[in-house]
Amino acid sequence: MNKRNRLKAEDWLKQGLETLDNEGIHKVNVEYLARQLGVTKGSFYWHFKNHETLIREMLNYWARTLTINVIERSIQDSKDAREIFFKLITIITTEKVGRYEVAIRAYARHDKKARSTIRKVDQQRLLFITGLFTDMNFKQADAEVRARLALYYQVAEQGIFLKESKQKSKDLLKQRFDLLTTNHESIDKPGC
Amino acid sequence: MNKRNRLKAEDWLKQGLETLDNEGIHKVNVEYLARQLGVTKGSFYWHFKNHETLIREMLNYWARTLTINVIERSIQDSKDAREIFFKLITIITTEKVGRYEVAIRAYARHDKKARSTIRKVDQQRLLFITGLFTDMNFKQADAEVRARLALYYQVAEQGIFLKESKQKSKDLLKQRFDLLTTNHESIDKPGC
DNA sequence: ACTGCAACATACGCGTCCGTATGTTATAAA
DNA sequence: TTTATAACATACGGACGCGTATGTTGCAGT
């Protein structure tokens, strides 16, 4: 909230994503969001041109906070690629940042701009994670396969699997990490 | 179509599922479906009580044709469990029968009855496939793990992975089949 | 105290969708 | 040929969502 309890555009974006995740795209309409925020439509059309703009900015907001922000946080206080990768999948798995993933992919099935956003996000992620694996001395092709495995897993985990206990989630994360970061047959050591 | 080009309830259900898959749940409304079928609402309310009934019957129709029907077809002309399993994943992967899978799961995120339907379908599938693996002499616990892997894969394949060529899809199917149906360490042979 | 403006609220017309009530038509049965 | 009815079409009232036009309010600066 802003000063005097008045709203910023970001408050509408957050509420939009929250509602998309909780109740579906059909509930992401101007009047319903206004009711949830305790204001009227007049407020909305002050901050946004129209409904379409809201959706577009929601997608951009999600893409920004989810890719750049998470990547930057993973890099901070990490000394090497292995550590960055571990922090990355930990953040995605344990924090709420991955919550909107499934909802947005579901919406993107029938929205061209959403699909475009997701493609860009996926490519950014893939490039970054592939880079981490090459930094771990994996060959380029192998690095990309491992990056894809990590990426697809993170996406599918939220959409398909039943919710596990916190301890089991941690165990699975560790196993996944070990599997993906160790394979001595395909490693590309400069000394050999 | 029926005699004299008039519609059956099933025609509405099919069009409903098609529209759900192609354009999303918000397009699955009475007047839009009527336009697509070349009739008016009067026809709809002859065949169905209301919109809610349509959705419910769509889910039931999907559950029937997808679980029972596919299972029965897999069994036909198969001599053992291995063959049934291969036919099953072949049908799901190559035919259009798996097309509505992702759309319905997306819709189920915010519809209680849809979630209930999916749970039942998943359980039926899991029971059946687990039975196939126990018939292949895998131990109960191992059979269930393999069944889950097969099941989750079939679901995730449609929603996440990029579309591969027909040849690559066939190769992947074969590899998946081999991996899941052979593991001599955990096999439970009566003779040993 | 007065003014200006950001951030709303209110009121309206419009289109779309729902569900109902009632009118229409082609065909099968008599 | 008449009749009954299945399968529609038409017309309506109401709810809801969009976007616009305009009215209102509280604070910030002077």
Side-chain angles (χ1 to χ4, degrees):
Chain A
M1 296 289 181
N2 222 359
K3 54 189 171 181
R4 222 177 87 213
N5 259 15
R6 293 177 102 91
L7 303 172
K8 296 184 292 180
E10 191 183 353
D11 297 318
W12 287 90
L13 299 178
K14 284 182 180 174
Q15 186 64 46
L17 286 171
E18 203 62 32
T19 301
L20 174 65
D21 185 41
N22 290 334
E23 309 185 64
I25 187 65
H26 65 288
K27 286 283 187 179
V28 185
N29 66 68
V30 179
E31 302 189 353
Y32 187 67
L33 293 181
R35 258 173 276 156
Q36 290 186 108
L37 290 168
V39 292
T40 66
K41 305 196 302 184
S43 169
F44 176 85
Y45 286 100
W46 172 255
H47 293 289
F48 300 91
K49 188 193 167 196
N50 54 24
H51 179 259
E52 190 190 340
T53 306
L54 170 73
I55 302 290
R56 208 176 52 230
E57 292 196 18
M58 273 170 55
L59 290 168
N60 292 337
Y61 180 75
W62 171 77
R64 277 202 314 278
T65 57
L66 200 75
T67 46
I68 301 174
N69 207 334
V70 170
I71 286 177
E72 281 177 356
R73 285 182 49 207
S74 306
I75 296 173
Q76 279 168 11
D77 312 318
S78 296
K79 61 175 188 298
D80 59 3
R82 271 179 61 96
E83 209 171 298
I84 293 172
F85 178 64
F86 188 77
K87 280 193 75 172
L88 186 66
I89 60 176
T90 303
I91 289 173
I92 294 171
T93 305
T94 59
E95 289 186 22
K96 65 169 184 178
V97 78
R99 257 178 45 209
Y100 306 128
E101 190 77 34
V102 181
I104 287 180
R105 284 182 192 272
Y107 173 68
R109 274 177 54 80
H110 307 107
D111 185 285
K112 203 170 182 177
K113 286 183 180 174
R115 281 199 300 280
S116 159
T117 301
I118 284 194
R119 260 196 300 275
K120 286 176 193 165
V121 166
D122 282 347
Q123 275 181 328
Q124 272 189 279
R125 290 165 162 178
L126 192 63
L127 258 164
F128 177 72
I129 303 178
T130 303
L132 293 181
F133 280 108
T134 54
D135 285 354
M136 294 183 225
N137 292 103
F138 287 103
K139 289 172 187 167
Q140 174 62 29
D142 191 35
E144 190 178 328
V145 170
R146 285 162 193 270
R148 279 186 191 276
L149 277 171
L151 211 55
Y152 289 171
Y153 185 95
Q154 296 295 150
V155 174
E157 186 185 45
Q158 316 259 345
I160 297 168
F161 298 154
L162 302 168
K163 298 204 170 176
E164 309 286 355
S165 72
K166 281 196 173 183
Q167 186 53 47
K168 184 156 188 181
S169 281
K170 273 200 168 184
D171 293 346
L172 287 170
L173 194 151
K174 185 67 171 62
Q175 288 179 264
R176 190 161 81 254
F177 176 76
D178 290 338
L179 184 81
L180 289 171
T181 57
T182 57
N183 186 342
H184 298 294
E185 287 184 25
S186 69
I187 213 153
D188 186 28
K189 279 189 180 172
C192 304
Chain B
M1 294 290 181
N2 221 359
K3 53 190 171 181
R4 221 177 87 213
N5 260 13
R6 293 178 104 89
L7 304 172
K8 296 184 292 181
E10 191 183 355
D11 297 318
W12 286 91
L13 299 179
K14 284 182 180 175
Q15 186 64 46
L17 285 172
E18 203 64 31
T19 302
L20 174 64
D21 185 40
N22 291 334
E23 309 185 64
I25 187 65
H26 64 291
K27 287 281 187 180
V28 185
N29 65 68
V30 178
E31 301 189 352
Y32 186 69
L33 293 181
R35 258 173 277 157
Q36 290 186 107
L37 290 168
V39 292
T40 64
K41 306 196 302 182
S43 170
F44 176 85
Y45 286 101
W46 172 258
H47 293 288
F48 300 92
K49 188 191 167 195
N50 53 25
H51 180 260
E52 190 190 341
T53 306
L54 170 73
I55 303 289
R56 206 176 52 230
E57 292 196 18
M58 275 170 56
L59 290 168
N60 292 337
Y61 180 74
W62 170 78
R64 275 202 314 279
T65 58
L66 200 75
T67 46
I68 299 174
N69 207 334
V70 171
I71 284 177
E72 282 176 357
R73 285 183 49 208
S74 305
I75 296 173
Q76 277 167 12
D77 311 318
S78 297
K79 61 176 189 296
D80 59 3
R82 269 179 63 96
E83 211 171 296
I84 293 172
F85 179 63
F86 188 76
K87 279 193 76 170
L88 186 68
I89 61 177
T90 303
I91 289 173
I92 295 172
T93 305
T94 58
E95 288 185 23
K96 67 169 183 178
V97 77
R99 257 177 46 211
Y100 307 128
E101 189 77 34
V102 181
I104 288 180
R105 283 180 193 274
Y107 172 67
R109 275 177 53 79
H110 307 108
D111 185 284
K112 202 169 182 177
K113 286 183 180 174
R115 281 200 299 280
S116 159
T117 301
I118 286 195
R119 259 197 300 273
K120 285 175 192 166
V121 166
D122 282 347
Q123 275 181 328
Q124 273 190 277
R125 291 166 162 177
L126 191 64
L127 257 164
F128 178 71
I129 304 177
T130 303
L132 293 180
F133 281 108
T134 54
D135 286 352
M136 294 182 227
N137 292 104
F138 287 102
K139 288 172 189 167
Q140 173 63 28
D142 191 35
E144 189 179 328
V145 169
R146 285 162 194 270
R148 279 185 192 276
L149 276 170
L151 210 56
Y152 289 171
Y153 186 95
Q154 296 296 148
V155 174
E157 187 185 44
Q158 316 259 346
I160 298 167
F161 297 155
L162 302 169
K163 297 203 170 178
E164 309 285 356
S165 73
K166 280 196 173 182
Q167 185 53 49
K168 185 157 188 181
S169 280
K170 274 200 169 185
D171 294 345
L172 287 170
L173 193 151
K174 185 69 171 58
Q175 288 179 264
R176 191 161 80 253
F177 176 75
D178 290 339
L179 183 80
L180 289 170
T181 57
T182 56
N183 187 340
H184 299 294
E185 286 185 25
S186 71
I187 214 154
D188 188 26
K189 280 188 180 171
C192 303

